[in-house]
Amino acid sequence: SQSALLLLALPALAAARLHVDAMRVQGLPAPTLDPAAVPVFSWVPVATQRDAAPTAFRLVLRTAAGDDVLDTGRVESTSIRYMHHSALRPGQQYTWGVQWWAGAESSEMAWAVFRTGLADWGNSSWIDGGNMLRTEFTLTAAPSQALLYVAGLGFFQAFVNGERVDTGALTGAWTTFNERVLYFT
């Protein structure tokens, strides 16, 4: 019975021989991109044996709703980067997946996410909050997701319900403010 268990485990080990690691967009694991940017997707093909070298890949890009934006199909290439030249919609979350082949053997599709930032701030206006900007509001239902966009001149710390939500020691950066103002998500 131990040999039967071992035989059942062997197909699972063989299937895991190839996998994808270090998925990045613009060199970052889950960035918020300028919607006008041309995203560069990269990944690291990992094999448990030295003889497995990339011979092909497939990249799939989907909206958060699951609509396909891109499916390259199997591309015969040793490349571990792909540049997507079509425009992406601003303010959206995207899911992307990559699979790679070493000859006839392939990895499972691995998935990651990224967002695009806002392109049009609509009727937004600068708020003069002095040292602290605070506002209260009530939601009619529990949110499934919430994003905070902060555009400011200089450094800031962001808190929601008293909990710090930015990750930097001094988040923000210096720019020539009359030419460019950065925003953070």
Side-chain angles (χ1 to χ4, degrees), residues 18 53-56 74 76 100-106:
L18 306 178
T55 58
R74 182 179 165 138
E76 300 297 325
W100 70 281
W101 281 262
E105 188 177 355
S106 72

Side-chain angles (χ1 to χ4, degrees), residues 59-155:
L59 190 135
V60 175
L61 177 61
R62 293 185 177 140
T63 65
D67 300 323
D68 280 349
V69 174
L70 169 75
D71 186 340
T72 64
R74 182 179 165 138
V75 176
E76 300 297 325
S77 172
T78 60
S79 180
I80 57 170
R81 291 170 47 105
Y82 182 81
M83 199 177 281
H84 179 62
H85 293 283
S86 297
L88 297 175
R89 293 190 349 235
Q92 300 293 310
Q93 179 173 303
Y94 290 90
T95 302
W96 70 285
V98 69
Q99 173 182 23
W100 70 281
W101 281 262
E105 188 177 355
S106 72
S107 70
E108 295 290 322
M109 182 75 73
W111 296 94
V113 298
F114 71 96
R115 299 192 68 79
T116 51
L118 301 178
D120 178 11
W121 289 79
N123 296 323
S124 300
S125 60
W126 289 103
I127 301 170
D128 181 9
N131 290 333
M132 187 178 300
L133 171 64
R134 185 181 302 211
T135 188
E136 291 185 19
F137 55 93
T138 303
L139 300 175
T140 58
S144 61
Q145 179 179 359
L147 294 174
L148 173 67
Y149 291 95
V150 177
L153 305 179
F155 300 107

